[in-house]
Amino acid sequence: MKTIKRNIAYRIPLVCLCTALILTACNKKDDKAAAPDISYGTYVQVGKGKARSFVIKNADGSPKQVGFTFGEDALEGLPTQNTAFVLPMPNGHQSLVNHISFDFSVRGHQPDSVYTVPHFDVHFYMITEQEKNAITLTDPKIDILPAPEYIPKHYVPGANEPKMGKHWADTTASEFHGHHFESTLIYGSYNGKFIFIEPMIALNYLKTKPNKTQPITQQAKVQQPGKYPQTYSILWEKDRRQYTVSLNELTARQ
């Protein structure tokens, strides 16, 4: 009887140890399975910090989210004149975004008393840098508008900018209805096509360390097949002391 009890006594810890090892292995597998498939672009110096693009992929390799991160120190030591920080995309990302331009506007721009505050114009371009840089104010193609079925509801054409295109503003945005500008979503076009999506974010608003996700007003039809964002986010990560600006819920459209 003592022998039986002794054997049982030895077996119980052994069973517990085996169970623990199995659970640990399963947890590791689960953690690995749950980890997002994410790729990064190269770092670019911004202020006293750095920024880099990223793409999170679905299991089939298609893009799920595209954006960029930058450290808290990137908001310090910013240039005293308007500057575009071009962020290359990760290799093999498969998204519609060709590159991201993280543009600092020192005093803002028109319309007066609306966007005339220091802010960032975040351009997610769907054309190459060479194509973008060839856009001039004297180019008649800058005033060729997309057909009505491609224009998002409540958006109207506005200012032309060289090396960018024509900007489209959301007439329902809060800054046009008695509120101070914090962030908004702009579209951009050239030669009858929409070529960029632009979250625009006030510098002072970023310094409040927001966590904001907003829907993106969709085009009734799209001109180029691909995966288009349904929302955009401006997020602060306290543990990493960094910001994320992203286009989310990329959804296939034809």
Side-chain angles (χ1 to χ4, degrees):
M1 188 69 177
K2 289 182 179 179
T3 302
I4 294 173
K5 287 183 178 179
R6 190 180 298 116
N7 288 340
I8 292 172
Y10 281 121
R11 285 173 185 170
I12 290 174
L14 182 60
V15 170
C16 292
L17 176 61
C18 291
T19 302
L21 290 173
I22 291 169
L23 289 174
T24 301
C26 289
N27 286 337
K28 285 182 178 179
K29 287 181 180 179
D30 289 343
D31 289 344
K32 188 174 181 181
D37 184 356
I38 183 169
S39 56
Y40 294 95
T42 56
Y43 278 111
V44 173
Q45 189 76 31
V46 178
K48 294 182 179 180
K50 294 180 179 179
R52 64 173 173 172
S53 66
F54 70 85
V55 173
I56 297 177
K57 300 176 183 178
N58 293 302
D60 63 0
S62 63
K64 178 180 182 179
Q65 182 185 58
V66 57
F68 66 102
T69 61
F70 55 98
E72 182 179 25
D73 49 358
L75 302 184
E76 304 299 329
L78 288 165
T80 56
Q81 59 184 8
N82 293 351
T83 304
F85 301 98
V86 178
L87 310 180
M89 294 293 289
N91 293 329
H93 59 88
Q94 299 182 33
S95 78
L96 287 175
V97 179
N98 179 273
H99 65 283
I100 302 169
S101 192
F102 187 30
D103 302 349
F104 180 54
S105 182
V106 177
R107 297 178 184 83
H109 50 67
Q110 58 179 309
D112 292 338
S113 301
V114 179
Y115 298 135
T116 45
V117 295
H119 68 264
F120 288 97
D121 299 304
V122 183
H123 296 86
F124 288 84
Y125 282 105
M126 294 178 281
I127 58 174
T128 66
E129 283 190 73
Q130 184 177 4
E131 291 172 318
K132 174 192 69 180
N133 291 334
I135 298 173
T136 67
L137 291 178
T138 57
D139 184 347
K141 292 179 182 178
I142 202 170
D143 284 318
I144 299 176
L145 305 183
E149 61 265 30
Y150 300 119
I151 298 173
K153 190 176 181 180
H154 304 304
Y155 274 77
V156 295
N160 294 338
E161 292 292 337
K163 298 184 180 181
M164 293 183 192
K166 181 179 290 293
H167 290 67
W168 295 70
D170 180 2
T171 57
T172 67
S174 62
E175 60 268 22
F176 296 118
H177 299 276
H179 297 275
H180 292 296
F181 162 59
E182 293 181 341
S183 69
T184 194
L185 197 286
I186 305 292
Y187 276 91
S189 70
Y190 173 75
N191 195 23
K193 294 182 179 180
F194 284 106
I195 60 169
F196 65 77
I197 296 175
E198 177 193 347
M200 194 159 67
I201 313 163
L203 176 60
N204 283 342
Y205 179 61
L206 273 176
K207 290 182 176 180
T208 68
K209 298 177 171 58
N211 280 281
K212 175 181 181 179
T213 296
Q214 292 283 100
I216 294 176
T217 301
Q218 301 295 305
Q219 302 164 258
K221 295 182 179 180
V222 295
Q223 296 158 302
Q224 179 181 353
K227 301 194 74 173
Y228 289 81
Q230 308 302 299
T231 64
Y232 76 98
S233 295
I234 305 163
L235 305 176
W236 164 250
E237 297 176 72
K238 182 178 179 180
D239 293 342
R240 297 184 180 183
R241 311 298 297 178
Q242 73 175 17
Y243 295 89
T244 298
V245 178
S246 61
L247 304 181
N248 319 313
E249 301 176 53
L250 299 183
T251 302
R253 300 191 64 186
Q254 297 296 322

